Amino acid sequence: MTEKVLEIRDLRVTFDTPSGPLEAVRGIDLDVEAGELLGVVGESGSGKSVTFLATMGLLPVRARVTGSVLLAGEQLIGASNKYMRSVRGRLLSMIFQDPLSALNPVHRIGDQISEMLQSHQNLSSRDAAKRAIELLDIVGIPQPSDRAGQYPHEFSGGMRQRVIIAIAIANNPKVLIADEPTTALDVTVQAQILEVIERVQERFGTAVVLITHDLGVIARVADRVNVMYAGRNVEQGTIDSLFDHPSHPYTRGLLASLPRPGKQRLKPITGFPPNMLNPPSGCAFHTRCEFAADICKGELPNLVSFGDLQTACVRARELPKSENFA
Amino acid sequence: MPGLTQGFALSEQNENVLSPRQMALRRFVSHKAAVVSCIIIGVLTLFVILAPFTARYGVNQSVQAPPNSFLSPRSNAWLGTDDIGRDLYSRLIYGVRVSLLIGLASAIISVTLGALVGAVAGFRGGKFDDILMRVTDLFLAFPFLVTLLVVRNVLGGLPWLKPITGEMNSVRFIIVLFSIFGWMGVARIVRGQVLSLKEREFVEAARAVGASRRYIIVRHLLPNSIGPIMVALTFSVVGAIISESTLAFFGYGPQAGDGATSLGILVGAAKGAVQTGFWWLAVFPCFVLIIIALSINFIGDALRDATDPRLDRGA
Amino acid sequence: MLRYILRRLAWSVPTLLLVTFLVYIALRVGTDPVESYKRVNPRASRAKIQQYIDINGLDPNFVQGYFKWLKNFITGEWAPSIKGRREVWPALKDAMANTLRLGTAATVVGIFFGLIAGVLAALRPGGRRDVFINTSAFVGISIPPFISAILLQLLFAVYWQKWFGASLFPTSGVYPAGHTGFDLFLMLKFMALPTIIVAIQIIATYSRYMRSSLLDVLNSDYMRTARSKGISERRILIKHGMRNALIPVVTIAALDVGSIVGGLIITENIFAYPGMGLYFLKSFGEGDFPLLMPWMVVIVASILLFNLIADISYAWLDPRIRLE
Ligand SMILES: Nc1ncnc2c1ncn2[C@@H]1O[C@H](COP(=O)(O)OP(=O)(O)O)[C@@H](O)[C@H]1O
Ligand code: SF4
Ligand SMILES: [Mg+2]
């Protein structure tokens, strides 16, 4: 096995809300290996963003975070603010869904990149500006030296997302977390942004965590996949084995609802994601699972190796073999 | 992934979700200051409606004849007496009665007017809208008191308006004056609201089936702006009460006949009290005005929070 | 930029003309200048009255009259006040100077503390500090300035003396009666109360603007981006938060000049402070057209000027706005 750069163990996040405590992440285990592209997939509200915001130390103070997150062997949960600041942007970077609002409208693009460089490296303003232009070039922005002097509103959505990637990789981080980086973009632009991310991963050996609710995106670029449901991971494994013979009923449902050539009708998963203020007992998926039995309501399933996959389903062994989605 | 996004969108309507009105009510009640304010205003209103019973003396009745007409607060005049020996407590009750009337009447007129003008302007757009916005900009840019005084005199200087406005120092005149002022702010708010509603599906749908302009405005746009309109109404009441006091303070207020009084007249008398040191004449009317202004503002604030969920007071 | 400013200034000329025309009509209808003149000068000869009508452009035809007034106004042929035949310009100049002093002091104090209070409130929304600041601001807005003025005046003019034996702040005028020459300390003492009254209003208003604007900004995506860069909270607030938060505040400030002047008028009157407000109320009360028109011109011009200043600073703060 290759080296693990990020090891998340039993991560739990609880928000105090006016309607009571809300446990958004309920014991996540997840590894990111050096240089890989890990996909994290799940419906909206399954806790993907919260998991990685907790990793970055970017959750609001009223969130209670427990468990362990090791970044290159260093514990991040409970680390001092000062330490977390030195980690953010240097070892760990994160880019967010909406490129239109993620850049500060009143500062020049070049300055926003330089700020990232100068806050972690001892660079003169001149050198930082030069490096910023190089970075714009790397993410595929034409005429980078002119563009560096412009403001965000002079860029299109796709171009802004490239700028945001440039900021994120400025200090050559170990892990780049991309939270739905293409969701807000046109289909054609989506593909370009995914290409940029892949290029960065290959060129700098950056491990990438690609968060999305779209398995189609994952299928295109990811090495491994982690499926999340109701704040837990329910299945993980390599992209090939997952598509070959998904084992968890939720994964099967996700794959069955993917549009594919030669298939007439999509089969969406019936029912709704659970209310996390009051999640179902046992396997949270039992309210929607076609294989649900009484046992599912009692036991909280943990990830168990099952073939090449790790699956959190108490009935995994008894289930009929799945259709091949590859 | 169409199936997933659809499921998520639907899930918001699921669960035990409260209706918007229930939610608004719940948010309103959670604003403690507003609840207390409602009680205060309610009690006050009852008090002044029942003035003949709650007041201890007539509005113009002397407790103490001159020369020693200024009595400090005591058992037969709880809040003291004024320059001609009238009981301040009783006069406050009658004064608040007139002021609340002015506040409510001009607020209702100006909000009705403003809502209609704003809805039409926002819905039609074009020249009418442009001119309206220019005019209100102009009026709102000027110092308020200056415009108020000048417009007051202009109104009083137009003889053909007499049948509507009455004498310049009558309560009716003041109400007309404040209505002429008040509609502009409301029109702006409703216009903004209508502009944003105009693009929404239900209005588009009504238009698509050929509903008339008036029907759309009255049946769709105004009811959906009811939150901001209510808020505007509340703030208009305070605005009018304070304006009345300000005018009266500078000697341009209503001179309600037969020794009748208003909060403004009582506060205006405070000016003299400062020099002479009859503190009660300044402190009590000012205090009542502050309580009224504060309470109604709190109610308006809570209404705004309750009807506009986007505003997070952060509390 | 310079072209923009020049064009705006050029445009303000017709605006000024139009608005002063409306003001001219309003004053003629509202104050009946000729009647006021006759009332104040009951024994004025017919010739005197005609002279007054001519120089002030009080012809029966409003359009003709306005242009007559305008010509005399521009060429500096200003009529003296109807009462006491005082020269208008010196009176107006003094009033402007006094108000400018009071207004600047109050605005600087008010905006400075208002913005700070707003920032402090927004940094911990819902916290005890926020609730305190926000509630105080709310109370501050709800109390009309003439009420706080009366109460402060009562306290300082009457009771301070009674309780402590010495007066702390004088409550009327700019200098004690009979004082001549310049005395900074004395002047500040006289300005203190009116400044506080006007500043309270400004602090209350601006702390609320700033709070809600900064709250919006703090919850924005680009602030999250800034945090994910690992830069210090302080730098995040100053470099990324403040400038964005100030943009809407500046826009509102432009529309607010009128209300600040309004507060000044009321306050000056109560403290007998000889500024633009006292000038206006006195001349308005007497229907003194020769005093009123130039006052109106000054007010309209300053509103236009402040609007321009606000637009320029708005564009300076926000690169998305191009001044063309
Ligand atoms: N700041 C917050 N306060 C309270 N609840 C939150 C907060 N952020 C997220 N949540 C809740 O946590 C759950 C997971 O959210 P999130 O991680 O954003 O889901 P997603 O998988 O779509 O990224 C949701 O139920 C959401 O409502
Ligand atoms: S544990 Fe039960 S309910 Fe959950 S996925 Fe497996 S079979 Fe379905
Ligand atoms: Mg998310």
Side-chain angles (χ1 to χ4, degrees):
Chain A
M1 231 194 185
T2 45
E3 177 207 358
K4 288 173 189 155
V5 278
L6 193 64
E7 274 185 82
I8 301 181
R9 288 292 172 272
D10 196 27
L11 183 70
R12 287 166 193 276
V13 179
T14 309
F15 294 102
D16 282 321
T17 73
S19 336
L22 183 153
E23 201 177 5
V25 175
R26 308 187 299 151
I28 289 281
D29 294 329
L30 182 151
D31 294 332
V32 182
E33 287 160 18
E36 78 165 335
L37 205 159
L38 172 72
V40 175
V41 68
E43 284 163 302
S44 272
S46 54
K48 307 181 298 290
S49 299
V50 171
T51 302
F52 289 95
L53 286 172
T55 304
M56 292 282 291
L58 285 178
L59 285 173
V61 274
R62 65 199 164 88
R64 282 199 303 278
V65 184
T66 61
S68 147
V69 173
L70 295 180
L71 175 70
E74 295 279 340
Q75 181 59 258
L76 299 187
I77 302 301
S80 71
N81 282 339
K82 192 164 167 237
Y83 181 69
M84 285 311 290
R85 268 210 306 277
S86 79
V87 167
R88 280 200 293 270
R90 183 173 59 99
L91 301 176
L92 264 183
S93 275
M94 186 156 177
I95 63 187
F96 303 100
Q97 175 168 337
D98 187 4
L100 293 185
S101 54
L103 289 169
N104 192 327
V106 304
H107 293 306
R108 293 174 201 278
I109 295 295
D111 294 343
Q112 298 195 45
I113 303 176
S114 301
E115 179 181 44
M116 180 72 146
L117 288 162
Q118 286 184 297
S119 58
H120 296 289
Q121 299 176 35
N122 205 350
L123 279 180
S124 72
S125 300
R126 279 260 305 274
D127 293 344
K130 236 167 53 208
R131 177 81 186 126
I133 293 171
E134 285 169 30
L135 283 161
L136 285 176
D137 191 38
I138 290 173
V139 296
I141 287 182
Q143 283 133 12
S145 46
D146 297 340
R147 296 294 247 165
Q150 294 181 333
Y151 290 96
H153 71 273
E154 298 170 80
F155 286 65
S156 69
M159 284 294 161
R160 281 189 229 187
Q161 196 62 294
R162 287 174 195 256
V163 172
I164 292 164
I165 296 173
I167 294 176
I169 61 169
N171 297 310
N172 200 1
K174 286 204 157 49
V175 183
L176 170 65
I177 300 163
D179 190 353
E180 315 236 8
T182 61
T183 307
L185 302 172
D186 288 347
V187 187
T188 45
V189 183
Q190 280 188 10
Q192 293 166 6
I193 295 298
L194 287 179
E195 252 166 56
V196 174
I197 291 176
E198 275 189 299
R199 202 157 68 221
V200 164
Q201 179 214 1
E202 279 156 22
R203 176 156 170 191
F204 300 105
T206 317
V208 175
V209 177
L210 181 66
I211 303 173
T212 174
H213 63 264
D214 188 348
L215 256 181
V217 166
I218 299 266
R220 220 160 345 155
V221 293
D223 305 316
R224 289 191 314 126
V225 189
N226 198 300
V227 183
M228 282 184 66
Y229 187 79
R232 309 252 318 157
N233 30 19
V234 293
E235 191 151 56
Q236 61 188 36
T238 62
I239 188 84
D240 296 334
S241 41
L242 193 95
F243 271 76
D244 277 352
H245 46 83
S247 148
H248 196 281
Y250 178 61
T251 318
R252 297 180 190 199
L254 286 182
L255 287 166
S257 63
L258 265 187
R260 278 185 308 145
K263 201 170 79 166
Q264 283 86 33
R265 267 173 50 89
L266 308 177
K267 273 199 303 184
I269 306 175
T270 54
F272 308 106
N275 178 355
M276 295 307 289
L277 277 169
N278 187 13
S281 64
C283 170
F285 191 53
H286 76 72
T287 51
R288 303 163 75 185
C289 178
E290 56 177 312
F291 306 108
D294 278 348
I295 181 177
C296 307
K297 294 176 191 161
E299 247 178 85
L300 192 61
N302 284 313
L303 285 176
V304 175
S305 285
F306 188 76
D308 324 336
L309 295 170
Q310 291 183 294
T311 304
C313 169
V314 286
R315 302 194 56 202
R317 274 167 221 291
E318 313 158 23
L319 298 182
K321 201 165 160 46
S322 139
E323 175 189 352
N324 186 328
F325 293 91
Chain B
M1 191 161 295
L4 291 187
T5 38
Q6 191 189 14
F8 179 64
L10 285 174
S11 75
E12 292 189 323
Q13 304 168 358
N14 200 18
E15 320 290 343
N16 43 356
V17 175
L18 298 168
S19 79
R21 194 168 301 177
Q22 283 169 313
M23 252 151 59
L25 185 67
R26 183 173 286 195
R27 278 198 296 267
F28 185 89
V29 173
S30 73
H31 194 310
K32 288 190 207 77
V35 175
V36 175
S37 301
C38 277
I39 297 172
I40 291 177
I41 293 296
V43 170
L44 207 68
T45 312
L46 258 177
F47 238 69
V48 302
I49 289 177
L50 301 176
F53 305 102
T54 49
R56 303 172 76 198
Y57 302 93
V59 60
N60 217 12
Q61 182 186 349
S62 269
V63 181
Q64 169 84 18
N68 293 321
S69 50
F70 290 105
L71 294 182
S72 58
R74 62 193 61 208
S75 65
N76 65 337
W78 288 332
L79 305 183
T81 61
D82 68 5
D83 53 343
I84 48 177
R86 294 172 299 191
D87 176 37
L88 182 58
Y89 162 77
S90 310
R91 282 178 69 73
L92 265 174
I93 289 180
Y94 284 103
V96 169
R97 182 148 94 155
V98 172
S99 289
L100 280 186
L101 172 76
I102 291 176
L104 268 178
S106 42
I108 289 172
I109 298 175
S110 55
V111 167
T112 313
L113 212 67
L116 285 175
V117 175
V120 173
F123 191 65
R124 286 184 44 169
K127 270 246 167 59
F128 179 69
D129 188 33
D130 281 351
I131 294 175
L132 181 80
M133 286 302 111
R134 286 285 146 73
V135 171
T136 52
D137 268 347
L138 191 68
F139 264 80
L140 297 176
F142 250 77
F144 181 68
L145 187 62
V146 174
T147 342
L148 195 61
L149 288 179
V150 171
V151 172
R152 170 185 178 275
N153 276 13
V154 171
L155 277 190
L158 299 172
W160 43 270
L161 268 179
K162 263 280 165 57
I164 306 176
T165 54
E167 290 301 321
M168 255 175 105
N169 53 13
S170 67
V171 169
R172 181 146 59 113
F173 183 88
I174 293 289
I175 293 176
V176 173
L177 177 64
F178 291 168
S179 307
I180 286 177
F181 262 86
W183 69 267
M184 286 183 290
V186 185
R188 277 180 161 268
I189 295 169
V190 174
R191 171 185 176 270
Q193 185 76 10
V194 164
L195 277 183
S196 69
L197 284 173
K198 208 161 90 172
E199 313 301 328
R200 296 257 291 273
E201 313 80 52
F202 60 93
V203 176
E204 296 275 323
R207 241 197 276 202
V209 300
S212 77
R213 185 180 284 160
R214 191 199 301 169
Y215 181 86
I216 296 179
I217 289 180
V218 173
R219 290 303 299 271
H220 290 293
L221 295 180
L222 286 180
N224 277 292
S225 316
I226 203 73
I229 293 179
M230 289 283 294
V231 176
L233 184 77
T234 331
F235 288 130
S236 301
V237 175
V238 198
I241 292 177
I242 289 182
S243 302
E244 188 269 331
S245 305
T246 315
L247 278 187
F249 184 85
F250 291 105
Y252 295 97
Q255 309 288 316
D258 299 333
T261 189
S262 76
L263 203 46
I265 293 175
L266 293 171
V267 172
K271 207 167 16 172
V274 169
Q275 309 307 330
T276 47
F278 300 123
W279 58 268
W280 56 93
L281 287 177
V283 170
F284 295 121
C286 288
F287 181 71
V288 171
L289 183 61
I290 290 175
I291 290 294
I292 292 178
L294 205 54
S295 303
I296 304 182
N297 273 340
F298 270 128
I299 295 172
D301 193 45
L303 268 179
R304 184 166 48 196
D305 289 352
T307 55
D308 185 356
R310 281 167 308 164
L311 280 175
D312 181 10
R313 273 180 304 128
Chain C
M1 185 62 131
L2 188 67
R3 273 188 50 189
Y4 172 82
I5 297 175
L6 288 177
R7 216 183 41 235
R8 276 285 295 267
L9 285 177
W11 258 111
S12 60
V13 173
T15 316
L16 197 59
L17 289 181
L18 181 70
V19 177
T20 48
F21 179 56
L22 295 177
V23 167
Y24 168 90
I25 296 177
L27 285 183
R28 288 213 45 192
V29 175
T31 60
D32 202 340
V34 182
E35 275 312 306
S36 308
Y37 183 79
K38 288 184 190 157
R39 197 179 54 241
V40 177
N41 306 293
R43 276 172 305 167
S45 68
R46 193 164 279 213
K48 270 267 160 60
I49 294 174
Q50 193 53 48
Q51 192 196 354
Y52 170 77
I53 290 177
D54 284 341
I55 189 164
N56 284 298
L58 297 172
D59 305 34
N61 181 321
F62 281 0
V63 180
Q64 265 172 23
Y66 172 73
F67 282 108
K68 224 181 216 177
W69 167 83
L70 186 65
K71 183 178 147 262
N72 288 343
F73 179 79
I74 293 171
T75 53
E77 289 212 28
W78 294 17
S81 70
I82 61 173
K83 196 173 176 187
R85 296 189 57 80
R86 280 189 301 138
E87 286 246 32
V88 172
W89 173 242
L92 187 63
K93 199 181 61 185
D94 286 350
M96 266 157 61
N98 284 337
T99 291
L100 214 56
R101 205 159 54 211
L102 177 57
T104 312
T107 314
V108 169
V109 172
I111 290 195
F112 181 75
F113 287 106
L115 295 187
I116 287 185
V119 172
L120 288 179
L123 285 183
R124 294 223 189 82
R128 212 176 300 167
R129 188 172 69 191
D130 178 35
V131 171
F132 174 75
I133 292 176
N134 212 18
T135 314
S136 317
F138 199 79
V139 174
I141 290 175
S142 301
I143 300 179
F146 68 95
I147 295 284
S148 39
I150 295 177
L151 293 178
L152 277 188
Q153 207 174 30
L154 184 69
L155 177 65
F156 286 106
V158 182
Y159 283 92
W160 199 273
Q161 188 108 28
K162 226 183 228 172
W163 295 336
F164 303 104
S167 79
L168 182 61
F169 294 119
T171 55
S172 102
V174 260
Y175 284 125
H179 179 94
T180 50
F182 178 79
D183 183 338
L184 183 67
F185 181 70
L186 208 54
M187 193 172 84
L188 287 180
K189 227 169 127 173
F190 270 78
M191 265 172 61
L193 284 185
T195 306
I196 289 173
I197 303 284
V198 181
I200 285 176
Q201 296 286 309
I202 300 177
I203 292 175
T205 326
Y206 279 81
S207 68
R208 282 168 66 89
Y209 290 158
M210 190 62 195
R211 174 184 182 273
S212 78
S213 170
L214 187 58
L215 270 183
D216 277 352
V217 168
L218 290 179
N219 289 325
S220 70
D221 283 2
Y222 55 80
M223 291 302 275
R224 193 175 53 182
T225 305
R227 264 180 227 115
S228 73
K229 286 178 171 178
I231 52 185
S232 71
E233 282 298 319
R234 195 188 160 136
R235 190 184 155 96
I236 291 174
L237 179 69
I238 292 171
K239 198 102 202 265
H240 294 271
M242 288 304 272
R243 183 154 160 199
N244 282 290
L246 279 174
I247 292 171
V249 175
V250 167
T251 338
I252 296 170
L255 299 170
D256 251 15
V257 184
S259 78
I260 292 181
V261 175
L264 282 170
I265 292 178
I266 293 170
T267 312
E268 285 180 0
N269 181 273
I270 293 173
F271 288 96
Y273 184 91
M276 294 291 275
L278 202 61
Y279 176 112
F280 169 76
L281 282 170
K282 269 195 180 150
S283 42
F284 185 78
E286 276 151 16
D288 202 326
F289 188 81
L291 281 172
L292 280 173
M293 271 315 279
W295 187 89
M296 290 286 185
V297 175
V298 170
I299 294 294
V300 177
S302 34
I303 291 172
L304 290 175
L305 181 69
F306 277 105
N307 264 302
L308 176 61
I309 293 177
D311 281 350
I312 292 171
S313 24
Y314 186 39
W316 177 69
L317 282 171
D318 189 346
R320 284 163 296 187
I321 307 296
R322 283 268 149 266
L323 297 181
E324 290 307 338

